[in-house]
Amino acid sequence: MIIPIRCFSCGKVVADLWERYLALLDEGKEDGEAMDILGLKRYCCRRMLMTHVDLIEKLLRYDPAERVRANIGGMQR
């Protein structure tokens, strides 16, 4: 969801690198090259960026009240 602040294994701060990592990928850099540019040499820190799934935008669009309204509207028919 939200990028972890620190690497789970070594404790290096990685959250500040997320936006720059995405920008490098958008420029056409490969994953390994982008992480080398950012200074991520340890495989544990590389894992933190490579395996992160950014779901926060999808969750921000979720409205639990809308689901309740849909269920109430379906029951009235």
Side-chain angles (χ1 to χ4, degrees), residues 23-56:
L24 287 169
L25 292 179
D26 287 341
E27 291 174 11
K29 305 279 188 200
E30 292 187 16
D31 288 332
E33 186 181 357
M35 287 185 263
D36 287 340
I37 292 170
L38 294 174
L40 292 174
K41 302 295 182 195
R42 297 184 200 120
Y43 63 87
C44 58
C45 298
R46 288 174 171 250
R47 171 213 50 201
M48 297 300 291
L49 291 184
M50 285 186 74
T51 61
H52 177 68
V53 178
D54 200 17
L55 296 175
I56 192 68

Side-chain angles (χ1 to χ4, degrees), residues 48-72:
M48 297 300 291
L49 291 184
M50 285 186 74
T51 61
H52 177 68
V53 178
D54 200 17
L55 296 175
I56 192 68
E57 295 301 323
K58 290 182 182 179
L59 290 175
L60 289 175
R61 289 185 282 157
Y62 177 72
D63 183 12
E66 183 178 314
R67 187 173 183 183
V68 171
R69 286 190 298 264
N71 285 339
I72 291 173

Side-chain angles (χ1 to χ4, degrees), residues 7-39:
C7 174
F8 294 147
S9 299
C10 70
K12 177 181 169 97
V13 177
V14 294
D16 64 330
L17 303 174
W18 178 248
E19 295 295 327
R20 287 186 280 172
Y21 174 68
L22 292 178
L24 287 169
L25 292 179
D26 287 341
E27 291 174 11
K29 305 279 188 200
E30 292 187 16
D31 288 332
E33 186 181 357
M35 287 185 263
D36 287 340
I37 292 170
L38 294 174

